[in-house]
Amino acid sequence: MNKQIGTAIEDELQRLYKDDEVVHSIFDWFDGRQKDSREMPARVAADRTGYEYGEIIRVFRKFDELGIGTFLVGRRGSESRLQWHYSIKSLAEAAKNGAEVRGTPRLGQGQALEDEDDDSMFAHAFQLRSNLRVEISLPVDLTDHEANRIAAFVKTLPLQNE
C-alpha cells in the first residue's frame, strides 16, 4: 500500500467500493477511462453513472472527508464539483484491487488534463435554419460573462445580406 495516502484511507476506499453501489459505479467508470481528470463536476458524474445528483454529492462529500479530493459547492455559475488530490484512475485501482494510489500531476499555467470523455466540455446543438443544425462545444461551467463574450464574437462574423 502507498504511504502517500495511508492504508486507512485505502482500506476505506475498498470498503466503500464493496458496500456503496454509487461509489462502485464511480470507480468502475474511472477505471475504464483512458486519462485522468483534475476536477469532476457532480452533474457529469451523475450523467455518466446514471445516479441521482444528490447521491453523487453525498459521495463527493465523503471523498472530501477522506482527503482524496476537495468538494466545492457551485456558486456564481460554477457547478458543484470535486477537485482530486490523486489520480482518479489510481484511486479506482486502489478501491478495486488494493493497488498504489498516485498523486495527480501538477499542472503548469495554461496546461490542462485532457479527458477521454472530455467531461469539461458539453456539445450544444442549435437549429439555425430549417435545414441547418449547428453544434458548438462549450465548457460545462460556462459563465454568463463567457457566454456574452461568445455572443459578441458571433456578432463580429462576416454575414451576407439577404
Side-chain angles (χ1 to χ4, degrees):
M1 295 280 162
N2 185 352
K3 293 176 186 157
Q4 190 177 15
I5 78 164
T7 56
I9 293 173
E10 288 177 344
D11 290 345
E12 181 64 9
L13 287 176
Q14 290 171 14
R15 186 195 67 73
L16 286 170
Y17 181 76
K18 180 181 154 199
D19 297 341
D20 188 317
E21 64 184 43
V22 179
V23 172
H24 190 101
S25 182
I26 288 172
F27 283 140
D28 282 351
W29 167 45
F30 288 172
D31 194 40
R33 292 170 51 105
Q34 293 294 316
K35 298 182 181 179
D36 269 307
S37 179
R38 244 189 343 172
E39 193 172 274
M40 182 67 54
R43 181 192 50 76
V44 172
D47 289 346
R48 301 284 188 204
T49 62
Y51 284 96
E52 294 291 323
Y53 181 83
E55 285 294 304
I56 299 298
I57 296 297
R58 175 187 62 80
V59 168
F60 278 11
R61 288 184 192 279
K62 182 64 176 174
F63 289 164
D64 184 275
E65 289 172 18
L66 286 173
I68 62 173
T70 301
F71 178 68
L72 302 168
V73 176
R75 291 191 174 91
R76 297 184 182 183
S78 292
E79 293 190 78
S80 294
R81 62 208 178 277
L82 193 75
Q83 289 181 336
W84 299 103
H85 298 169
Y86 301 94
S87 156
I88 62 173
K89 290 185 62 59
S90 67
L91 287 169
E93 185 67 23
K96 294 173 82 168
N97 305 319
E100 180 178 312
V101 174
R102 299 178 307 277
T104 303
R106 296 286 177 216
L107 300 175
Q109 188 168 350
Q111 286 182 298
L113 288 172
E114 293 183 27
D115 297 333
E116 171 194 340
D117 298 331
D118 203 3
D119 296 331
S120 63
M121 302 292 282
F122 186 80
H124 300 268
F126 179 75
Q127 196 72 37
L128 185 61
R129 299 179 187 149
S130 63
N131 62 347
L132 179 62
R133 182 180 174 117
V134 294
E135 289 189 13
I136 184 170
S137 291
L138 298 169
V140 295
D141 60 350
L142 183 73
T143 65
D144 287 338
H145 176 71
E146 292 166 333
N148 289 331
R149 288 184 60 218
I150 291 169
F153 166 73
V154 170
K155 288 179 181 179
T156 68
L157 297 176
L159 301 173
Q160 182 178 13
N161 290 335
E162 294 183 10

